[in-house]
Amino acid sequence: MRRLTWSDVTPKQLWLNRRQIIAGGGAALMAGPALARIKAAPSRYSTDATPNTFEEITSYNNFYEFGTGKDDPKRYAGALTTDPWSVVIDGLVERPGTYDLADVVKGQPLEEQIYRFRCVEAWSMVIPWIGFELAGLLNRVGVQSGAKFVAFEALVRPEEMPGQSSRFINWPYREGLRLDEAMHPLTILATGLYGEEMPKQNGAPIRLVVPWKYGFKSIKSIVRISLTDRMPPTTWNMLQPQEYGFYANVNPKVDHPRWSQASERRVGAGLFAGRQDTLMFNGYEAEVAGLYAGQDLAVDY
Ligand code: MTE
């Protein structure tokens, strides 16, 4: 069977633009005539695995603020107002404040990061994000020396988020990282995918992406980032601590209590494609294993 190429899976204009990048030796994406493209240079961390299609990435989602079904986010997220948007940055920082989205992204170099994405439910995708390093923002606001963790909160707006009428999650959805994880160059704040603004069901206008951790760490629609000296409470860990740890590093050797994590189903790969092996740290072991030297990952799961 012929191997799929970018032109099979990519909207034509974007594919043409990618050819221009290659021709231009890594120059920023050109604005296509039909669609306003986000300017972004390719990331050194991108995988050369074939990305999932835009359709797959935007119609099979977890975003409980809109419901628990995989198609609820696509169905209901259209009503979400993402402009204006601001992010509170507080806690152990030099320059706390309420920052407009434009101010959060100001001066941060956007890159296209094609990352593997592995959900704790054992499905996976490859997603061409547009984003910038979280470290760039943290350095700009100035991290105080006592800070050890970064806590994130997502939007609470029940009138636009029908899933928030259900109380099974104590809203807001919360996540957190250790400071060294947050400062790692693989950790990004993403504002788009496939060269366009972030689709609402994928966490518009700004979300976290931590590609070596299970997808639930990658919190969507962020409104607050707090630097703290304590490990912060996180949504899935609070709900089911025996099943979801704080670290949630992708690890094929530590099974979920109810299913194996040794393999995964690549969304869209077809009924007969079979499962593929899950890689330690989702394939980013060379980059991130050093963060966990001396830690027992079966305990710190
Ligand atoms: N962020 C918020 N705010 N609410 C959520 O329910 N779900 C998480 C994560 N971020 C979630 C969230 C889970 S479980 C996964 S697997 C990913 O988002 C899914 O991201 P995707 O839909 O863009 O693939």
Short mmCIF file of all heavy atoms in Angstrom, two decimals, residues 57 60-65 67 73 117-121 123 125 127 129 154-155 161 169 171 173-174 193 201-203 207-208 214-222 236, ligand 1:
data_model
loop_
_atom_site.label_atom_id
_atom_site.label_comp_id
_atom_site.label_asym_id
_atom_site.label_seq_id
_atom_site.Cartn_x
_atom_site.Cartn_y
_atom_site.Cartn_z
N ILE A 57 -9.11 15.35 14.20
CA ILE A 57 -8.64 16.09 15.38
C ILE A 57 -9.75 16.94 15.99
O ILE A 57 -9.76 17.20 17.19
CB ILE A 57 -7.42 16.97 14.99
CG1 ILE A 57 -6.23 16.08 14.60
CG2 ILE A 57 -7.01 17.91 16.12
CD1 ILE A 57 -5.09 16.83 13.92
N TYR A 60 -13.33 14.24 17.44
CA TYR A 60 -13.21 13.18 18.46
C TYR A 60 -12.43 13.80 19.61
O TYR A 60 -11.21 13.88 19.58
CB TYR A 60 -12.47 11.99 17.85
CG TYR A 60 -12.43 10.75 18.71
CD1 TYR A 60 -13.46 9.81 18.67
CD2 TYR A 60 -11.33 10.50 19.56
CE1 TYR A 60 -13.41 8.67 19.44
CE2 TYR A 60 -11.27 9.36 20.33
CZ TYR A 60 -12.31 8.44 20.27
OH TYR A 60 -12.25 7.30 21.04
N ASN A 61 -13.16 14.32 20.60
CA ASN A 61 -12.51 15.15 21.63
C ASN A 61 -12.97 14.81 23.04
O ASN A 61 -14.07 14.30 23.23
CB ASN A 61 -12.85 16.64 21.40
CG ASN A 61 -12.39 17.14 20.05
OD1 ASN A 61 -13.16 17.24 19.10
ND2 ASN A 61 -11.11 17.44 19.94
N ASN A 62 -12.12 15.13 23.99
CA ASN A 62 -12.51 15.16 25.40
C ASN A 62 -12.48 16.61 25.87
O ASN A 62 -11.43 17.26 25.81
CB ASN A 62 -11.53 14.35 26.27
CG ASN A 62 -11.80 12.86 26.23
OD1 ASN A 62 -12.92 12.43 25.94
ND2 ASN A 62 -10.78 12.07 26.51
N PHE A 63 -13.62 17.09 26.31
CA PHE A 63 -13.72 18.48 26.80
C PHE A 63 -15.02 18.49 27.60
O PHE A 63 -16.09 18.81 27.09
CB PHE A 63 -13.75 19.45 25.61
CG PHE A 63 -13.41 20.89 25.93
CD1 PHE A 63 -13.16 21.79 24.89
CD2 PHE A 63 -13.33 21.37 27.23
CE1 PHE A 63 -12.83 23.12 25.14
CE2 PHE A 63 -13.01 22.69 27.49
CZ PHE A 63 -12.76 23.57 26.44
N TYR A 64 -14.88 18.06 28.89
CA TYR A 64 -16.07 17.74 29.68
C TYR A 64 -16.95 18.95 29.97
O TYR A 64 -18.12 18.79 30.30
CB TYR A 64 -15.64 17.03 30.97
CG TYR A 64 -15.10 15.66 30.67
CD1 TYR A 64 -13.74 15.41 30.60
CD2 TYR A 64 -15.98 14.62 30.39
CE1 TYR A 64 -13.25 14.16 30.27
CE2 TYR A 64 -15.51 13.36 30.05
CZ TYR A 64 -14.14 13.14 30.00
OH TYR A 64 -13.67 11.90 29.66
N GLU A 65 -16.40 20.17 29.80
CA GLU A 65 -17.23 21.36 29.96
C GLU A 65 -18.39 21.36 28.97
O GLU A 65 -19.39 22.05 29.16
CB GLU A 65 -16.38 22.63 29.75
CG GLU A 65 -15.45 22.97 30.90
CD GLU A 65 -14.09 22.27 30.85
OE1 GLU A 65 -13.98 21.19 30.21
OE2 GLU A 65 -13.15 22.79 31.45
N GLY A 67 -19.70 18.30 27.76
CA GLY A 67 -20.37 17.00 27.81
C GLY A 67 -19.34 15.88 27.82
O GLY A 67 -18.16 16.11 27.57
N PRO A 73 -18.07 18.05 22.31
CA PRO A 73 -17.33 19.31 22.13
C PRO A 73 -17.57 19.93 20.75
O PRO A 73 -17.83 21.13 20.64
CB PRO A 73 -15.86 18.89 22.33
CG PRO A 73 -15.96 17.69 23.23
CD PRO A 73 -17.19 16.96 22.78
N PHE A 117 0.11 12.56 20.51
CA PHE A 117 -0.80 12.87 21.61
C PHE A 117 -1.43 11.56 22.04
O PHE A 117 -2.05 10.86 21.25
CB PHE A 117 -1.87 13.84 21.08
CG PHE A 117 -2.78 14.39 22.15
CD1 PHE A 117 -2.43 15.54 22.84
CD2 PHE A 117 -3.99 13.78 22.45
CE1 PHE A 117 -3.26 16.06 23.82
CE2 PHE A 117 -4.82 14.29 23.43
CZ PHE A 117 -4.46 15.44 24.12
N ARG A 118 -1.25 11.19 23.33
CA ARG A 118 -1.70 9.88 23.81
C ARG A 118 -2.66 10.10 24.98
O ARG A 118 -2.28 10.61 26.03
CB ARG A 118 -0.47 9.07 24.25
CG ARG A 118 -0.69 7.78 25.05
CD ARG A 118 -1.46 6.72 24.28
NE ARG A 118 -1.24 5.36 24.81
CZ ARG A 118 -1.87 4.82 25.85
NH1 ARG A 118 -2.75 5.50 26.55
NH2 ARG A 118 -1.60 3.56 26.21
N CYS A 119 -3.92 9.72 24.77
CA CYS A 119 -4.91 9.85 25.84
C CYS A 119 -4.77 8.67 26.79
O CYS A 119 -4.41 7.56 26.40
CB CYS A 119 -6.32 9.86 25.25
SG CYS A 119 -7.62 9.99 26.50
N VAL A 120 -5.10 8.89 28.05
CA VAL A 120 -5.05 7.83 29.07
C VAL A 120 -6.03 6.70 28.72
O VAL A 120 -5.86 5.57 29.17
CB VAL A 120 -5.32 8.43 30.47
CG1 VAL A 120 -6.80 8.76 30.67
CG2 VAL A 120 -4.81 7.53 31.59
N GLU A 121 -7.03 7.01 27.88
CA GLU A 121 -8.01 5.99 27.46
C GLU A 121 -7.45 5.07 26.37
O GLU A 121 -8.19 4.23 25.85
CB GLU A 121 -9.27 6.67 26.92
CG GLU A 121 -9.99 7.51 27.95
CD GLU A 121 -11.01 8.48 27.33
OE1 GLU A 121 -10.84 8.89 26.16
OE2 GLU A 121 -11.96 8.84 28.02
N TRP A 123 -6.23 5.80 23.26
CA TRP A 123 -6.24 6.19 21.84
C TRP A 123 -5.18 7.28 21.66
O TRP A 123 -4.75 7.91 22.62
CB TRP A 123 -7.62 6.67 21.37
CG TRP A 123 -8.27 7.76 22.17
CD1 TRP A 123 -9.18 7.59 23.17
CD2 TRP A 123 -8.07 9.18 22.06
NE1 TRP A 123 -9.56 8.81 23.69
CE2 TRP A 123 -8.91 9.80 23.02
CE3 TRP A 123 -7.28 9.99 21.24
CZ2 TRP A 123 -8.95 11.19 23.19
CZ3 TRP A 123 -7.33 11.37 21.41
CH2 TRP A 123 -8.16 11.96 22.38
N MET A 125 -3.29 10.26 18.66
CA MET A 125 -3.33 11.00 17.40
C MET A 125 -1.96 11.64 17.20
O MET A 125 -1.13 11.64 18.11
CB MET A 125 -4.36 12.13 17.42
CG MET A 125 -5.80 11.69 17.54
SD MET A 125 -6.89 12.99 16.94
CE MET A 125 -8.39 12.56 17.83
N ILE A 127 -0.79 15.48 16.05
CA ILE A 127 -1.47 16.77 15.88
C ILE A 127 -0.45 17.88 15.57
O ILE A 127 0.52 18.05 16.31
CB ILE A 127 -2.26 17.13 17.16
CG1 ILE A 127 -3.23 15.99 17.52
CG2 ILE A 127 -3.01 18.46 16.97
CD1 ILE A 127 -4.13 16.22 18.71
N TRP A 129 0.26 21.17 16.09
CA TRP A 129 -0.10 22.35 16.89
C TRP A 129 0.62 23.59 16.39
O TRP A 129 1.72 23.49 15.83
CB TRP A 129 0.31 22.16 18.36
CG TRP A 129 -0.24 20.96 19.05
CD1 TRP A 129 0.44 19.84 19.42
CD2 TRP A 129 -1.60 20.76 19.48
NE1 TRP A 129 -0.41 18.95 20.06
CE2 TRP A 129 -1.66 19.50 20.11
CE3 TRP A 129 -2.76 21.52 19.41
CZ2 TRP A 129 -2.84 18.97 20.64
CZ3 TRP A 129 -3.93 21.01 19.94
CH2 TRP A 129 -3.97 19.75 20.55
N ALA A 154 -9.13 26.19 33.97
CA ALA A 154 -9.87 26.44 32.72
C ALA A 154 -11.10 27.30 33.03
O ALA A 154 -11.47 27.53 34.18
CB ALA A 154 -10.29 25.11 32.10
N LEU A 155 -11.74 27.73 31.98
CA LEU A 155 -12.89 28.63 32.07
C LEU A 155 -14.08 27.98 32.78
O LEU A 155 -14.36 26.79 32.58
CB LEU A 155 -13.31 29.01 30.64
CG LEU A 155 -14.47 29.99 30.50
CD1 LEU A 155 -14.06 31.38 30.96
CD2 LEU A 155 -14.93 30.04 29.04
N MET A 161 -21.27 26.59 28.43
CA MET A 161 -20.63 25.28 28.52
C MET A 161 -21.62 24.31 29.18
O MET A 161 -21.66 24.16 30.41
CB MET A 161 -19.34 25.39 29.34
CG MET A 161 -18.31 26.32 28.68
SD MET A 161 -16.79 26.50 29.66
CE MET A 161 -15.54 26.09 28.46
N ILE A 169 -17.61 16.89 37.97
CA ILE A 169 -16.32 17.57 38.15
C ILE A 169 -16.60 18.82 38.97
O ILE A 169 -17.59 19.52 38.74
CB ILE A 169 -15.68 17.92 36.80
CG1 ILE A 169 -15.10 16.63 36.15
CG2 ILE A 169 -14.58 18.97 36.96
CD1 ILE A 169 -14.52 16.81 34.77
N TRP A 171 -15.87 22.12 39.06
CA TRP A 171 -15.28 23.11 38.15
C TRP A 171 -14.61 24.22 38.94
O TRP A 171 -15.05 24.55 40.01
CB TRP A 171 -16.36 23.68 37.22
CG TRP A 171 -17.17 22.62 36.56
CD1 TRP A 171 -18.45 22.24 36.87
CD2 TRP A 171 -16.76 21.76 35.50
NE1 TRP A 171 -18.85 21.20 36.06
CE2 TRP A 171 -17.84 20.89 35.22
CE3 TRP A 171 -15.58 21.65 34.75
CZ2 TRP A 171 -17.76 19.91 34.21
CZ3 TRP A 171 -15.51 20.68 33.76
CH2 TRP A 171 -16.60 19.83 33.50
N TYR A 173 -12.04 22.90 35.69
CA TYR A 173 -11.07 21.85 35.37
C TYR A 173 -9.69 22.41 35.74
O TYR A 173 -9.38 23.56 35.43
CB TYR A 173 -11.12 21.57 33.87
CG TYR A 173 -10.36 20.33 33.42
CD1 TYR A 173 -11.02 19.13 33.23
CD2 TYR A 173 -8.99 20.38 33.13
CE1 TYR A 173 -10.33 18.00 32.79
CE2 TYR A 173 -8.30 19.25 32.69
CZ TYR A 173 -8.98 18.07 32.52
OH TYR A 173 -8.31 16.95 32.08
N ARG A 174 -8.92 21.61 36.48
CA ARG A 174 -7.61 22.08 36.96
C ARG A 174 -6.52 21.12 36.56
O ARG A 174 -6.73 19.91 36.55
CB ARG A 174 -7.58 22.08 38.51
CG ARG A 174 -8.46 23.07 39.17
CD ARG A 174 -8.60 22.67 40.64
NE ARG A 174 -9.96 22.92 41.07
CZ ARG A 174 -10.33 24.02 41.71
NH1 ARG A 174 -9.45 24.91 42.06
NH2 ARG A 174 -11.59 24.20 42.04
N LEU A 193 -3.97 25.01 15.45
CA LEU A 193 -3.53 23.75 14.86
C LEU A 193 -3.79 23.79 13.37
O LEU A 193 -4.66 24.53 12.90
CB LEU A 193 -4.16 22.54 15.55
CG LEU A 193 -5.66 22.34 15.58
CD1 LEU A 193 -6.18 21.71 14.31
CD2 LEU A 193 -6.02 21.45 16.78
N GLN A 201 -13.44 23.35 20.02
CA GLN A 201 -13.50 22.03 20.68
C GLN A 201 -12.13 21.53 21.11
O GLN A 201 -12.02 20.62 21.92
CB GLN A 201 -14.21 21.01 19.78
CG GLN A 201 -13.57 20.76 18.43
CD GLN A 201 -14.16 21.65 17.35
OE1 GLN A 201 -14.35 22.84 17.55
NE2 GLN A 201 -14.42 21.07 16.18
N ASN A 202 -11.06 22.14 20.58
CA ASN A 202 -9.71 21.73 20.97
C ASN A 202 -9.10 22.63 22.04
O ASN A 202 -7.93 22.47 22.39
CB ASN A 202 -8.79 21.67 19.75
CG ASN A 202 -9.20 20.56 18.79
OD1 ASN A 202 -10.03 20.78 17.93
ND2 ASN A 202 -8.67 19.36 18.98
N GLY A 203 -9.90 23.58 22.56
CA GLY A 203 -9.41 24.36 23.70
C GLY A 203 -9.10 25.81 23.42
O GLY A 203 -8.22 26.39 24.06
N ARG A 207 -4.44 26.71 25.12
CA ARG A 207 -4.43 25.47 25.91
C ARG A 207 -2.99 25.02 26.11
O ARG A 207 -2.07 25.43 25.39
CB ARG A 207 -5.19 24.36 25.19
CG ARG A 207 -4.44 23.88 23.96
CD ARG A 207 -5.06 22.67 23.34
NE ARG A 207 -4.94 21.50 24.16
CZ ARG A 207 -5.55 20.35 23.89
NH1 ARG A 207 -6.29 20.24 22.80
NH2 ARG A 207 -5.39 19.30 24.67
N LEU A 208 -2.83 24.14 27.09
CA LEU A 208 -1.53 23.54 27.34
C LEU A 208 -1.37 22.28 26.48
O LEU A 208 -2.36 21.59 26.21
CB LEU A 208 -1.48 23.16 28.83
CG LEU A 208 -0.18 22.64 29.40
CD1 LEU A 208 0.86 23.75 29.46
CD2 LEU A 208 -0.42 22.08 30.81
N TYR A 214 -0.10 11.86 29.64
CA TYR A 214 -1.44 11.55 29.16
C TYR A 214 -2.21 12.84 28.89
O TYR A 214 -2.00 13.87 29.55
CB TYR A 214 -2.18 10.66 30.16
CG TYR A 214 -1.58 9.27 30.22
CD1 TYR A 214 -1.05 8.75 31.42
CD2 TYR A 214 -1.50 8.47 29.08
CE1 TYR A 214 -0.47 7.48 31.46
CE2 TYR A 214 -0.94 7.20 29.12
CZ TYR A 214 -0.42 6.72 30.31
OH TYR A 214 0.15 5.46 30.34
N GLY A 215 -3.11 12.75 27.90
CA GLY A 215 -3.78 13.94 27.38
C GLY A 215 -4.51 14.77 28.42
O GLY A 215 -4.69 15.97 28.23
N PHE A 216 -4.95 14.15 29.51
CA PHE A 216 -5.74 14.93 30.47
C PHE A 216 -4.94 16.04 31.13
O PHE A 216 -5.52 16.99 31.67
CB PHE A 216 -6.45 14.04 31.50
CG PHE A 216 -5.58 13.31 32.48
CD1 PHE A 216 -5.17 13.92 33.66
CD2 PHE A 216 -5.23 11.98 32.26
CE1 PHE A 216 -4.40 13.23 34.58
CE2 PHE A 216 -4.47 11.28 33.18
CZ PHE A 216 -4.04 11.90 34.34
N LYS A 217 -3.59 15.95 31.07
CA LYS A 217 -2.77 17.04 31.62
C LYS A 217 -2.85 18.29 30.74
O LYS A 217 -2.57 19.40 31.20
CB LYS A 217 -1.30 16.62 31.73
CG LYS A 217 -1.01 15.44 32.63
CD LYS A 217 -1.27 15.71 34.09
CE LYS A 217 -0.30 16.68 34.73
NZ LYS A 217 -0.61 16.85 36.19
N SER A 218 -3.19 18.10 29.46
CA SER A 218 -3.14 19.21 28.49
C SER A 218 -4.43 20.03 28.56
O SER A 218 -5.32 19.92 27.70
CB SER A 218 -2.89 18.66 27.08
OG SER A 218 -1.58 18.10 27.00
N ILE A 219 -4.53 20.85 29.58
CA ILE A 219 -5.77 21.58 29.91
C ILE A 219 -6.12 22.62 28.84
O ILE A 219 -5.24 23.31 28.34
CB ILE A 219 -5.63 22.22 31.32
CG1 ILE A 219 -6.89 22.96 31.74
CG2 ILE A 219 -4.40 23.12 31.40
CD1 ILE A 219 -6.85 23.45 33.19
N LYS A 220 -7.40 22.67 28.54
CA LYS A 220 -7.92 23.55 27.48
C LYS A 220 -8.50 24.85 28.05
O LYS A 220 -8.94 24.89 29.20
CB LYS A 220 -9.04 22.83 26.73
CG LYS A 220 -8.58 21.55 26.05
CD LYS A 220 -9.78 20.83 25.42
CE LYS A 220 -9.31 19.70 24.53
NZ LYS A 220 -10.45 19.04 23.85
N SER A 221 -8.58 25.85 27.19
CA SER A 221 -9.28 27.12 27.50
C SER A 221 -8.86 27.67 28.86
O SER A 221 -9.67 27.87 29.77
CB SER A 221 -10.80 26.92 27.42
OG SER A 221 -11.15 26.45 26.13
N ILE A 222 -7.56 27.97 28.97
CA ILE A 222 -6.95 28.37 30.24
C ILE A 222 -7.29 29.83 30.57
O ILE A 222 -7.17 30.72 29.72
CB ILE A 222 -5.42 28.21 30.14
CG1 ILE A 222 -5.05 26.74 29.97
CG2 ILE A 222 -4.71 28.81 31.36
CD1 ILE A 222 -3.59 26.51 29.61
N TRP A 236 -8.46 15.12 37.61
CA TRP A 236 -8.65 13.66 37.57
C TRP A 236 -8.04 13.00 38.80
O TRP A 236 -8.56 12.00 39.30
CB TRP A 236 -8.10 13.07 36.27
CG TRP A 236 -9.05 13.41 35.18
CD1 TRP A 236 -8.94 14.42 34.27
CD2 TRP A 236 -10.33 12.80 34.96
NE1 TRP A 236 -10.07 14.48 33.49
CE2 TRP A 236 -10.93 13.50 33.88
CE3 TRP A 236 -11.02 11.75 35.55
CZ2 TRP A 236 -12.20 13.15 33.39
CZ3 TRP A 236 -12.28 11.41 35.07
CH2 TRP A 236 -12.85 12.10 34.01
N1 MTE B 1 -9.25 20.52 29.34
C1 MTE B 1 -10.42 20.93 29.85
N2 MTE B 1 -10.55 22.22 30.22
N3 MTE B 1 -11.46 20.07 30.03
C2 MTE B 1 -11.35 18.75 29.68
O1 MTE B 1 -12.33 17.99 29.85
N4 MTE B 1 -9.93 16.95 28.76
C3 MTE B 1 -8.55 16.49 28.70
C4 MTE B 1 -7.64 17.47 27.97
N5 MTE B 1 -7.89 18.82 28.40
C5 MTE B 1 -10.13 18.29 29.13
C6 MTE B 1 -9.09 19.23 28.96
C7 MTE B 1 -8.44 15.17 28.09
S1 MTE B 1 -9.02 13.84 29.01
C8 MTE B 1 -7.84 14.97 26.87
S2 MTE B 1 -7.53 13.41 26.27
C9 MTE B 1 -7.49 16.11 26.01
O2 MTE B 1 -7.87 17.37 26.57
C10 MTE B 1 -8.15 15.98 24.65
O3 MTE B 1 -7.68 16.96 23.76
P1 MTE B 1 -8.25 17.00 22.28
O4 MTE B 1 -9.74 16.89 22.36
O5 MTE B 1 -7.80 18.31 21.70
O6 MTE B 1 -7.65 15.82 21.54
#
